[in-house]
């Protein structure tokens, strides 16, 4: 497995972790703590998905050169 | 004598020897951490309460009562960001941009130190409160797993610092082999980070 493939796997696992943290916060926290943890992990997860798609495009461009 | 298959893939494996080597090493690491995760599961299943009462008589209902979840979350963000920068360092070498590579690799090392600083703050807070590994089964497995992981982070810093410092001479003589070395270092670093991604929810949250 190349670093590119392992990085995609890593980003996928990280996105799953942020989903888990959001669900954990929803079921185990209250008030402002719940909102901040849920919001933070969802934003972080969306950021990772965006980064992952950009990374794939960048790697395609590098491999074509 | 020249070491074979450092630049071009070996025909029978389809990859360079360094990549075969790192994956064999990572396989042994998976068994090491896998054994510890199994130990954690069995210790927890066998415990009447978790984390429970320490030797000094303090009762803790959940892991977040003992451990700092915000600090661990910060360390998770730091490690994920460091994986991004090490991949960008490798990608920079693939586009022959050595100065960009130096910046990204430097950032990776800086973030690794950041992780260790946060970890040391976490540990020192525990010690100040008398929470040593001998206090409870939970604290023992916590210190063993996170301590072993921190040793792996230190190992990564040593390798990455060598590659950025004295090892960077190879970029002038054999850039393809140097790029392969960075890829191998990146694979190790990703493994260290993925272990933390499993450690964080297992020890701090669940």
């Amino acid at each position: 497995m190349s670093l590119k493939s392992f990085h995609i796997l890593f980003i996928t696992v990280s996105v799953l972790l942020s989903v888990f943290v959001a669900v954990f916060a929803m079921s185990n926290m209250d008030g402002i703590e719940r909102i901040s943890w849920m919001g933070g992990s969802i934003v972080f997860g969306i950021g990772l998905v965006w980064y992952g798609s950009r990374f794939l495009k960048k790697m395609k461009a590098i491999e074509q050169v | 004598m020249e070491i074979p298959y450092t630049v071009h893939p070996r025909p029978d494996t389809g990859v360079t020897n360094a990549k075969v080597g790192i994956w064999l090493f990572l396989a042994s690491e998976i068994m090491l951490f896998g054994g510890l995760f199994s130990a954690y599961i069995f210790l927890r299943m066998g415990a009447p309460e978790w984390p429970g009462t320490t030797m000094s008589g303090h009762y803790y209902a959940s892991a977040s009562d003992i451990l700092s979840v915000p600090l661990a979350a910060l360390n998770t963000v730091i490690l994920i960001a460091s994986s991004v920068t090490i991949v960008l360092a490798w990608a920079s070498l693939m586009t022959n941009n050595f100065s960009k590579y130096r910046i990204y690799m430097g950032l990776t090392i800086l973030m690794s130190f950041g992780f260790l600083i946060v970890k040391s703050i976490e540990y020192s807070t525990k010690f100040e409160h008398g929470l040593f590994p001998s206090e409870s089964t939970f604290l023992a497995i916590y210190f063993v797993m996170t301590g072993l992981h921190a040793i792996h982070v230190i190992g990564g810093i040593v390798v990455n610092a060598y590659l950025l410092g004295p090892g960077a001479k190879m970029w002038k003589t054999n850039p393809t082999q140097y790029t392969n070395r960075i890829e191998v270092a990146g694979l190790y670093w990703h493994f260290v980070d993925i272990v933390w991604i499993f450690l964080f929810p297992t020890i701090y949250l669940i």
Side-chain angles (χ1 to χ4, degrees):
Chain A
M1 188 189 269
S2 67
L3 181 57
K4 178 193 162 189
S5 311
F6 200 30
H7 189 61
I8 292 162
L9 173 75
F10 175 79
I11 295 298
T12 309
V13 174
S14 303
V15 171
L16 291 174
L17 174 72
S18 50
V19 171
F20 174 82
V21 173
V23 172
F24 179 84
M26 196 171 70
S27 51
N28 291 282
M29 293 173 182
D30 298 303
I32 192 80
E33 196 186 28
R34 176 199 263 186
I35 294 163
S36 52
W37 276 93
M38 270 184 71
S41 53
I42 288 168
V43 168
F44 190 67
I46 291 168
L48 282 173
V49 171
W50 174 79
Y51 161 77
S53 62
R54 276 204 62 179
F55 170 74
L56 277 175
K57 275 181 197 165
K58 188 179 175 162
M59 287 311 292
K60 259 185 196 167
I62 289 172
E63 281 162 359
Q64 278 170 0
V65 173
Chain B
M1 197 181 93
E2 202 175 296
I3 302 167
Y5 306 113
T6 54
V7 175
H8 301 292
R10 198 179 142 124
D12 52 356
T13 61
V15 289
T16 58
N17 279 354
K19 208 179 260 184
V20 174
I22 193 70
W23 277 112
L24 282 173
F25 173 64
L26 293 183
S28 73
E29 291 282 82
I30 289 167
M31 287 185 265
L32 172 67
F33 280 101
L36 283 170
F37 274 102
S38 303
Y40 175 88
I41 291 165
F42 279 106
L43 286 169
R44 188 165 179 169
M45 279 167 58
E49 47 191 11
W50 193 262
T53 313
T54 59
M55 294 290 275
S56 48
H58 296 284
Y59 175 75
Y60 297 97
S62 67
S64 58
D65 291 345
I66 299 183
L67 308 175
S68 171
V69 180
L71 281 183
L74 173 66
N75 260 350
T76 308
V77 173
I78 289 173
L79 282 191
I80 291 173
S82 74
S83 277
V84 169
T85 52
I86 203 164
V87 159
L88 293 176
W90 173 63
S92 303
L93 288 182
M94 289 192 12
T95 53
N96 290 316
N97 195 337
F98 191 73
S99 53
K100 237 182 177 181
Y101 154 76
R102 286 182 77 112
I103 293 167
Y104 284 129
M105 192 53 122
L107 280 172
T108 307
I109 295 167
L110 268 178
M111 283 188 269
S112 317
F113 277 113
F115 175 89
L116 289 177
I117 290 165
V118 173
K119 196 94 231 119
S120 64
I121 292 168
E122 229 188 304
Y123 276 11
S124 58
T125 314
K126 302 283 160 296
F127 296 148
E128 277 168 22
H129 290 91
L131 296 168
F132 296 100
S134 57
E135 280 291 310
S136 71
T137 310
F138 170 78
L139 283 166
I141 196 84
Y142 158 76
F143 278 111
V144 167
M145 290 178 88
T146 57
L148 188 69
H149 178 264
I151 290 168
H152 280 77
V153 171
I154 294 166
I157 290 173
V158 171
V159 171
N160 291 340
Y162 170 77
L163 290 170
L164 183 62
K169 283 177 202 160
M170 187 184 265
W171 175 250
K172 285 176 186 163
T173 55
N174 197 340
T176 314
Q177 190 182 351
Y178 186 68
T179 308
N180 289 345
R181 281 188 171 186
I182 300 303
E183 185 181 11
V184 166
L187 286 169
Y188 171 77
W189 192 249
H190 272 66
F191 172 79
V192 171
D193 296 353
I194 224 163
V195 167
W196 179 261
I197 283 177
F198 283 100
L199 272 177
F200 171 56
T202 308
I203 292 184
Y204 290 80
L205 298 181
I206 303 171

